Amino acid sequence: MPTICNCQVQKEYCKMIGIINYGAGNIFSLTAALDRVGLTYGMVNTADEIDQYDRIIIPGVGHAGAAMDKLQESGLVPYIKKLKKPVLGICVGMQLLTAFSEEGNAEMLKLFPLKTLHFDAEKSGKVPHMGWNSVSVPANSPLFAHIEDQTYFYFVHSYFIEFDATYTAAKCVYGHPFSAAISKDNFFGVQFHPEKSGKAGEQLLLNFSTIQID
Amino acid sequence: MLAKRIIPCLDVKDGRTVKGVNFVDLRDAGDPVELAYEYSQQGADELVFLDITATHEERKTTIDLVKAVARQVNIPFTIGGGINEIKDADILLNAGADKISINSAAVRNPDLINQMAAAFGAQFVVVAVDTRSIDGQHFVHLSGGRIRTELNTADWILEAQERGAGEILLTSMDHDGTKNGFDNGFLKTINDRIHIPLIASGGAGNQQHFVDVFQQANVDAALAASVFHYGEILIPDLKATLRQNGIVVR
């Protein structure tokens, strides 16, 4: 795989994607996937470090309320909220972008006027929603470029972001529609795990690495 | 639609696969990483590694294996065997494992399930249950089916779910190794009573057995070892068969 890099600096110092390192879960799988597709990255621990990167990924597994607490403790929240560069939240990292999560009844970053809700097994199916589910891929979405409609991605979550006509960028159905992906300006989120979703997931990470915000 | 999952299971000892493998021209058929990569390319949905490494000292090899798999394989994987406390699971999580599977340790100390679910989330905790039928009653067995417990299998599975298990891997020791098909009746009984995903294991011998377990028991995933390792069933063929039978697969 070729290394794709827009940086003007010397390649060995080039770190294109900054990963918010706030202690919510393991990021080994994410960095491994970035390595596989040849994307460079580094860790963001402080506000200064955000500026060093072209774009930002917010990872996250586990409990959304607890993850939000950790993000608050990191001191990075005000800086993340005013970012103009591309930002991708993954799984709980995506849920952090919403206004509120039922998991811990916690307020989130409020970058999207959406709620993160718990799956009701009566209406959806077994919880957690675990495994490969097909996703309705939008046409002309840079994040889903070169990815076919109804491609399967790997999900594992008990909470979901409600479907919204404005902000849902890709839809998944588990008993009812929910947001497989959301987008608003420079902020993107995916509920599935691109780092575990085979070739399609790797393509999505590559796509994110080339997204330009007008 | 949520797809039904096909899961090859690899037995690993001291960082090497234990059972022979002869379905492809692998450079090193004993290398679990190479085998895992091959399965991911064939369309396996997930992998399970069962670590039967005997001593604690050799566990480091397992950690290295988990890291190597996480680096090279782009599908989720579970690791089971030798996980007795939170610390063991934490190391595996940080090495890139997506889930851990606990079996005897959970029977001996059921609170371990609660602790793991609280620490890492339910989605990380697979409870593996080996069952054997005695006079029409299913009892949980330990040590590969050799040791019988007094635990009623269905009761134990419901307790594990209650304590925070995210998934159940149920192996029928009566069917395991027979190649006569999964224990569809019992799997259905369990599946109808739980609200977390169920992986069926034990008895896979041909493609029809997978069709049957999904159609009859409606389990979420089916696991097998030797039929895949010996090339008796190729995953792309199996998925085509499942699709022809109206079963949603990736």
Side-chain angles (χ1 to χ4, degrees), chain B:
Chain B
M1 288 282 280
L2 184 63
K4 298 295 188 188
R5 288 172 277 153
I6 299 297
I7 308 177
C9 177
L10 288 80
D11 286 353
V12 174
K13 187 170 189 288
D14 306 335
R16 306 278 296 168
T17 46
V18 174
K19 290 173 188 164
V21 173
N22 62 1
F23 70 97
V24 278
D25 287 334
L26 292 180
R27 193 165 37 81
D28 176 0
D31 178 3
V33 182
E34 200 175 342
L35 189 55
Y37 179 79
E38 180 62 31
Y39 278 129
S40 72
Q41 295 300 105
Q42 283 191 16
D45 297 301
E46 211 171 298
L47 298 165
V48 169
F49 294 89
L50 189 59
D51 178 30
I52 53 175
T53 300
T55 69
H56 195 71
E57 290 70 46
E58 286 157 343
R59 293 283 293 169
K60 197 184 168 302
T61 324
T62 308
I63 310 299
D64 292 340
L65 164 68
V66 170
K67 282 186 181 166
V69 172
R71 276 194 200 100
Q72 295 182 40
V73 177
N74 59 16
I75 59 173
F77 67 96
T78 301
I79 181 137
I83 300 160
N84 294 307
E85 47 186 311
I86 290 281
K87 185 170 56 111
D88 301 327
D90 194 43
I91 291 168
L92 294 167
L93 173 71
N94 287 309
D98 297 281
K99 306 181 220 177
I100 49 101
S101 153
I102 47 176
N103 189 332
S104 316
V107 171
R108 283 196 297 269
N109 174 20
D111 192 51
L112 189 60
I113 303 171
N114 306 62
Q115 292 171 26
M116 297 241 178
F120 310 113
Q123 82 289 335
F124 186 63
V125 186
V126 181
V127 173
V129 179
D130 294 342
T131 187
R132 196 185 284 281
S133 172
I134 295 163
D135 300 331
Q137 276 230 55
H138 276 271
F139 290 95
V140 175
H141 281 64
L142 304 179
S143 302
R146 289 193 299 275
I147 301 172
R148 180 190 159 170
T149 73
E150 293 305 312
L151 276 175
N152 173 285
T153 303
D155 291 347
W156 170 237
I157 288 171
L158 290 170
E159 182 182 340
Q161 169 178 272
E162 191 62 29
R163 287 178 176 275
E167 193 166 43
I168 301 292
L169 165 56
L170 179 57
T171 302
S172 163
M173 302 313 298
D174 301 311
H175 288 241
D176 200 36
T178 65
K179 299 200 170 184
N180 286 330
F182 295 93
D183 189 352
N184 300 323
F186 187 60
L187 285 160
K188 179 172 175 17
T189 303
I190 296 297
N191 199 40
D192 287 348
R193 292 182 65 184
I194 61 175
H195 57 73
I196 54 176
L198 178 63
I199 304 170
S201 161
N206 58 44
Q207 296 190 16
Q208 185 61 38
H209 293 151
F210 288 87
V211 173
D212 292 343
V213 76
F214 288 126
Q215 286 186 339
Q216 293 172 27
N218 195 28
V219 294
D220 301 276
L223 175 145
S226 59
V227 287
F228 295 136
H229 301 332
Y230 293 111
E232 293 162 32
I233 297 178
L234 295 177
I235 291 170
D237 297 345
L238 173 58
K239 290 218 167 165
T241 301
L242 292 169
R243 234 174 253 122
Q244 282 160 18
N245 283 274
I247 295 157
V248 176
V249 287
R250 175 170 76 105

